Amino acid sequence: ILNVEQSPQSLHVQEGDSTNFTCSFPSSNFYALHWYRWETAKSPEALFVMTLNGDEKKKGRISATLNTKEGYSYLYIKGSQPEDSATYLCAFRSTGNQFYFGTGTSLTVIP
Amino acid sequence: GAGVSQSPSNKVTEKGKDVELRCDPISGHTALYWYRQSLGQGLEFLIYFQGNSAPDKSGLPSDRFSAERTGGSVSTLTIQRTQQEDSAVYLCASSAFVGTVHSPLHFGNGTRLTVT
């Protein structure tokens, strides 16, 4: 079982603040790195799929970067809004097509 | 089109009984995954199907757990002689042809299993 770690475990920020989370993963057998947002009472939804070292993806106020050589990815949220409150999961996809999830970062945006 | 469908959404069962959880993936998705999330824990991998075969069953916690997939579509996860530690949310996810590197996982809404 591969170890995927996310930090921090939880985060409370004020509306309008920018924030970022970290996902660390093994640098071997790497195929892709996924980010998902999981809102309460809903199913996880894909945010980004990144494959290449140095990849940067952006969707609105949310962006992510990838460093496969050192085994980490950052997720950034600019100008947090209450609707951004959710658990953010990263998943390491191995060359064996297995997905290993971190335990997530729980974000609460306070209005 | 329809997303991943799981049933039942909630299941309460007595310890020792068998339960069957169903997952109906997105049409055409060849890869199907089962995960579970116990209270306060992350997503725990159970089993992965490519078509009807299961290349990786390593996550099944005991021989009380089994899963099958028929016709490359619907999958059932069966838990025999349920125990209280089986209580969790069981999530199913499907993905397009597994060789497509950018395919994300599409999750169902899960089955919340409570063993009393």
Side-chain angles (χ1 to χ4, degrees):
Chain A
I1 296 178
L2 294 171
N3 199 29
V4 177
E5 295 185 352
Q6 290 188 247
S7 63
Q9 189 173 18
S10 67
L11 197 54
H12 289 71
V13 301
Q14 291 291 136
E15 182 175 353
D17 286 351
S18 294
T19 187
N20 65 87
F21 329 131
T22 305
C23 172
S24 62
F25 52 87
S27 51
S28 59
N29 298 317
F30 176 85
Y31 195 55
L33 193 285
H34 292 218
W35 282 99
Y36 292 85
R37 175 167 59 202
W38 194 358
E39 296 179 66
T40 304
K42 295 186 178 180
S43 54
E45 287 185 351
L47 286 173
F48 304 113
V49 178
M50 296 185 287
T51 58
L52 299 175
N53 185 45
D55 253 357
E56 291 188 25
K57 299 273 187 178
K58 187 175 180 183
K59 185 184 290 188
R61 295 178 290 98
I62 305 177
S63 60
T65 61
L66 179 67
N67 183 322
T68 59
K69 293 184 178 178
E70 295 182 39
Y72 64 84
S73 175
Y74 293 133
L75 186 80
Y76 301 91
I77 302 178
K78 185 178 178 182
S80 303
Q81 300 296 308
E83 59 264 29
D84 296 329
S85 297
T87 295
Y88 291 83
L89 295 170
C90 72
F92 168 94
R93 181 179 177 182
S94 71
T95 51
N97 291 313
Q98 186 46 276
F99 288 84
Y100 300 91
F101 282 84
T103 52
T105 293
S106 174
L107 174 68
T108 303
V109 181
I110 304 163
Chain B
V4 177
S5 177
Q6 289 188 247
S7 60
S9 54
N10 278 286
K11 176 73 177 177
V12 180
T13 190
E14 290 180 355
K15 178 181 170 181
K17 296 283 178 82
D18 298 351
V19 295
E20 237 182 45
L21 312 181
R22 177 189 168 106
C23 173
D24 205 339
I26 292 173
S27 177
H29 279 192
T30 57
L32 187 148
Y33 298 80
W34 281 98
Y35 290 88
R36 75 175 177 181
Q37 185 184 41
S38 304
L39 193 62
Q41 305 296 312
L43 282 178
E44 175 189 4
F45 165 74
L46 297 177
I47 189 169
Y48 151 56
F49 287 94
Q50 175 56 28
N52 289 336
S53 65
D56 192 344
K57 303 179 184 180
S58 63
L60 294 176
S62 75
D63 58 9
R64 296 186 295 103
F65 286 71
S66 63
E68 65 174 15
R69 189 179 184 194
T70 53
S73 181
V74 171
S75 176
T76 54
L77 177 70
T78 301
I79 309 173
Q80 295 179 307
R81 305 180 302 283
T82 51
Q83 303 294 311
Q84 288 185 329
E85 62 262 26
D86 300 334
S87 296
V89 175
Y90 289 80
L91 281 171
C92 173
S94 71
S95 183
F97 176 60
V98 72
T100 306
V101 66
H102 289 101
S103 296
L105 292 175
H106 297 264
F107 284 88
N109 285 329
T111 293
R112 181 175 296 278
L113 175 66
T114 304
V115 182
T116 60

